[in-house]
Amino acid sequence: MPEPRPSPARSVLGSLVLIGVVIAGSAAAFAYTAGWLSPERLTPWKMLEALAPPSGPALGYRRNHAKGICFTGVFESNGNGAAISRASVLAAGQYAALGRFNLGTPNPDAADASVRVRGLGLRIMPPNGQEWRMAMINAPVFAASTPEGFHELLVAAGSKDPNAMKVFAEAHPEFAPFGAWAKNAPWTGSYAEDRFNGLNSFVFTDSSGADHAVRWSLLPQEQVVPVTQDDLKKLDPDFLEQEITQRVRSGPQRWTMTVTVANPGDPTADPTKAWPEDRRTIEVGTLVVQRIEAEADGPCRDINFDPTVLPPGMRTSDDPFPAARSSVYAKSYDLRTAEAKDYPRTVTGPKP
């Protein structure tokens, strides 16, 4: 029999509590604050402090999205992207790719079913030495429109005040679309079934010198099978790592990369605002994941998936978040590399 419908007040409160848990565990992939912001307002250190759980960070790990597993493969560019960017990585060809599936949590031992946000960091490496790095998550929009707003959100999510998230949500209505996704979007049982979105805007420059504001996504080629959260909780705490390892052993996994081009007037500095679905979208290639390796001694361990590392033909837009993330990522990298002894390297392979 269906469960009784909760009262509206209880439903709203429950939603805010859920969203607070999601934010507390999913922040680091979008740990936004720029080094150029005045120190009295916001700094990378203040953001890292807000990201840390009450027990302190897991030493040696990324300050959030701490749980992850490496992959290697190729990016097969079909050449369609050359119409909007002169970047060599979008010319037709096959280029080495390295990445990391991850969960939005500061706890490397978190149960997979307890974390709403899943991420994918990617580094594509053409033979000419240029690189395209990116960090994506499975949410369709971000939770805050400015770096300062994101910091306020982290503080609210970590507050002992039971009304902190409600106060934040009322003061920041732009948070609502992310909150609705966190509460209502379906879950999957595999990274291979997840869509990953680059929520920030960038500028592609074509061979004629014309600029195009864009966002990109990776769409899974595997069939998406929704799974209830209750069913996910019955699985092993590391089921996502185990599942993707076994799946890739059986055969390479693929995602189609699409690039969406903004129309004049579309918001490019605010990742809480999705662009209309009728915008021009170009399939530019396929990510092929061929091998999974444990992070502890894997090729992604020491990679910062800094979204400002871009090849000629691509650049950041008026969106302040990529530069902000770059600043926080750099501080986090310094800390975790100095703590390497607390996260021993191994050669034991992925978790079984």
Side-chain angles (χ1 to χ4, degrees):
M1 294 180 63
E3 296 180 1
R5 184 183 298 273
S7 68
R10 181 173 297 178
S11 178
V12 170
L13 179 58
S15 298
L16 290 173
V17 170
L18 168 64
I19 292 165
V21 171
V22 169
I23 292 299
S26 67
F30 291 84
Y32 299 136
T33 180
W36 41 261
L37 293 176
S38 58
E40 64 274 12
R41 293 177 58 197
L42 189 61
T43 68
W45 290 112
K46 288 181 180 179
M47 188 65 77
L48 291 173
E49 289 175 357
L51 287 165
S55 59
L59 300 182
Y61 291 84
R62 297 169 197 259
R63 283 314 192 244
N64 211 328
H65 285 251
K67 187 173 187 177
I69 192 165
C70 301
F71 67 80
T72 53
V74 295
F75 175 65
E76 298 174 344
S77 175
N78 57 25
N80 293 341
I84 55 173
S85 174
R86 59 184 175 82
S88 61
V89 72
L90 292 178
Q94 188 176 94
Y95 310 112
L98 179 157
R100 181 177 185 263
F101 296 112
N102 58 81
L103 294 179
T105 172
N107 179 8
D109 298 316
D112 292 350
S114 68
V115 185
R116 189 67 180 96
V117 172
R118 300 173 185 174
L120 186 152
L122 182 61
R123 178 191 189 196
I124 302 175
M125 300 163 285
N128 58 9
Q130 299 173 2
E131 291 189 23
W132 183 11
R133 299 192 192 187
M134 62 198 86
M136 295 165 277
I137 61 172
N138 59 337
V141 291
F142 191 53
S145 60
T146 66
E148 295 87 350
F150 185 67
H151 184 262
E152 291 178 32
L153 176 56
L154 289 178
V155 172
S159 174
K160 295 180 180 179
D161 180 353
N163 294 316
M165 278 301 301
K166 179 181 178 181
V167 171
F168 174 86
E170 290 175 346
H172 295 272
E174 69 276 11
F175 173 72
F178 178 89
W181 170 85
K183 180 184 176 184
N184 300 316
W187 296 61
T188 74
S190 174
Y191 284 125
E193 298 174 17
D194 286 328
R195 170 176 175 151
F196 296 99
N197 302 298
L199 302 181
N200 301 118
S201 302
F202 293 82
V203 177
F204 282 5
T205 303
D206 63 29
S207 57
S208 71
D211 289 338
H212 310 271
V214 303
R215 292 171 176 169
W216 52 74
S217 296
L218 287 172
L219 282 58
Q221 293 188 8
E222 289 293 323
Q223 180 180 357
V224 178
V225 181
V227 182
T228 68
Q229 191 177 12
D230 287 341
D231 285 341
L232 292 179
K233 290 178 179 178
K234 299 174 185 177
L235 301 177
D236 188 273
D238 301 316
F239 75 87
L240 283 171
E241 294 185 359
Q242 296 169 2
E243 196 279 342
I244 196 65
T245 299
Q246 292 300 320
R247 193 184 283 249
V248 172
R249 282 176 183 167
S250 299
Q253 299 300 299
R254 292 175 169 82
W255 287 256
T256 300
M257 178 174 281
T258 63
V259 174
T260 300
V261 184
N263 281 3
D266 285 342
T268 54
D270 185 351
T272 68
K273 291 182 170 59
W275 293 342
E277 294 184 0
D278 64 355
R279 295 302 182 253
R280 178 188 180 193
T281 298
I282 304 170
E283 293 187 1
V284 301
T286 302
L287 172 65
V288 184
V289 172
Q290 299 170 322
R291 180 180 174 84
I292 301 293
E293 299 183 54
E295 180 188 59
D297 200 35
C300 73
R301 172 170 173 151
D302 295 328
I303 300 298
N304 258 2
F305 295 100
D306 182 337
T308 66
V309 177
L310 300 164
M314 302 181 186
R315 70 176 189 274
T316 56
S317 69
D318 58 347
D319 187 333
F321 291 153
R325 289 169 61 192
S326 178
S327 179
V328 174
Y329 284 9
K331 297 298 184 184
S332 174
Y333 179 84
D334 289 344
L335 291 170
R336 62 188 173 89
T337 52
E339 300 158 356
K341 67 181 184 304
D342 296 292
Y343 182 19
R345 295 179 182 270
T346 69
V347 292
T348 58
K351 297 178 182 179

